[in-house]
Amino acid sequence: RLLAAVYEFTHKESIQALASAVERGVSVKIVRHCKGSYHTRVKRDDIVKDESGNIVKDWIPDDTTEAAKKAIDAVGFQSLKYARVWQHDTFIERKHSAGIMHNKFIILVRNGKPVEVWTGSTNLTDGGFYGQSNVGHIVRDDDVATDYLEYWERLARDIPGRKRSSKIENDNEHGPMDELNERQQSNLEGHITSPSINVIFSPRKTT
């Protein structure tokens, strides 16, 4: 299995590699940034209202969301079966992040066990690969991969980042993200053994 979380997502070669994995029968799940805003519908300079007199509003994706959707839709498949998997069973839209969902990582899960992570500062865009001074790391460590898997599962449930309500505050499993992240990594102070790898996820209540 491949489990990814992406912000900008327009680099053709990366997208094609993931799509090819789908066509080989690999289970691929990608949490992607999905933000936008509601705009009042206007027709011939008049505000459109429904039968009850309520103003009609349309959800308009932001540029990052729209660009990724176009890149996703541009992928071709030899099999209609896997084209449907790509369109309907691969992507998970994250709409309730605290701001943008600026993640970029891919987890390799082998035989049900997370074993590797690719991560870094590189967005999956031409600019991210060829125009900016970015880094990418492959971490082959079961513990790190497990930490990332727990974090990915929270992203996939679209848990609010910092939004608080009485319902969410009393829910020890579903959020918000900043509280769950701190629960996973409760103590970032004190002595750190060397050599070691320490994973820190955001948002956090203290940042």
Side-chain angles (χ1 to χ4, degrees):
R1 294 172 68 200
L2 293 174
L3 306 175
V6 297
Y7 174 52
E8 294 179 301
F9 191 64
T10 57
H11 185 248
K12 291 182 181 179
E13 291 85 351
S14 299
I15 294 172
Q16 185 58 59
L18 291 165
S20 296
V22 169
E23 197 150 36
R24 294 195 306 271
V26 177
S27 174
V28 178
K29 298 290 185 182
I30 303 170
V31 180
R32 74 179 186 96
H33 166 90
C34 187
K35 286 282 191 176
S37 56
Y38 284 93
H39 294 253
T40 299
R41 186 183 300 177
V42 177
K43 186 176 182 180
R44 298 190 184 93
D45 295 327
D46 291 328
I47 294 175
V48 177
K49 297 182 179 180
D50 62 20
E51 295 178 354
S52 301
N54 299 313
I55 294 175
V56 176
K57 294 187 176 182
D58 298 309
W59 187 80
I60 307 298
D62 65 15
D63 291 343
T64 300
T65 302
E66 181 66 15
K69 186 65 169 66
K70 289 180 179 179
I72 291 165
D73 291 345
V75 175
F77 286 84
Q78 295 182 354
S79 164
L80 180 60
K81 170 186 174 181
Y82 289 113
R84 288 173 174 164
V85 171
W86 177 254
Q87 286 290 340
H88 304 295
D89 197 36
T90 298
F91 294 94
I92 302 167
E93 296 179 344
R94 177 148 173 77
K95 298 180 178 180
H96 296 98
S97 58
I100 62 174
M101 194 203 83
H102 209 223
N103 303 100
K104 37 263 187 180
F105 63 84
I106 303 171
I107 307 164
L108 172 62
V109 180
R110 183 182 291 126
N111 297 323
K113 181 179 180 180
V115 293
E116 296 182 15
V117 176
W118 176 88
T119 187
S121 63
T122 309
N123 281 303
L124 301 186
T125 66
D126 286 353
F129 279 102
Y130 313 124
Q132 302 165 353
S133 182
N134 282 311
V135 296
H137 304 284
I138 297 176
V139 184
R140 297 185 173 97
D141 184 280
D142 294 356
D143 292 337
V144 170
T146 298
D147 284 344
Y148 267 88
L149 176 59
E150 291 179 14
Y151 181 65
W152 183 91
E153 288 173 342
R154 293 197 289 274
L155 293 175
R157 296 203 300 272
D158 200 17
I159 295 170
R162 297 183 187 274
K163 180 181 179 181
R164 290 174 174 79
S165 68
S166 57
K167 179 180 179 180
I168 291 175
E169 287 179 337
N170 292 328
D171 190 334
N172 292 326
E173 181 181 355
H174 295 101
M177 284 287 285
D178 58 356
E179 292 183 359
L180 292 177
N181 290 339
E182 287 207 349
R183 198 174 302 153
Q184 181 181 356
Q185 304 156 301
S186 57
N187 182 15
L188 299 181
E189 299 179 357
H191 178 71
I192 297 177
T193 58
S194 180
S196 65
I197 302 174
N198 296 278
V199 184
I200 301 173
F201 298 115
S202 65
R204 297 174 63 85
K205 290 174 64 178
T206 54
T207 57

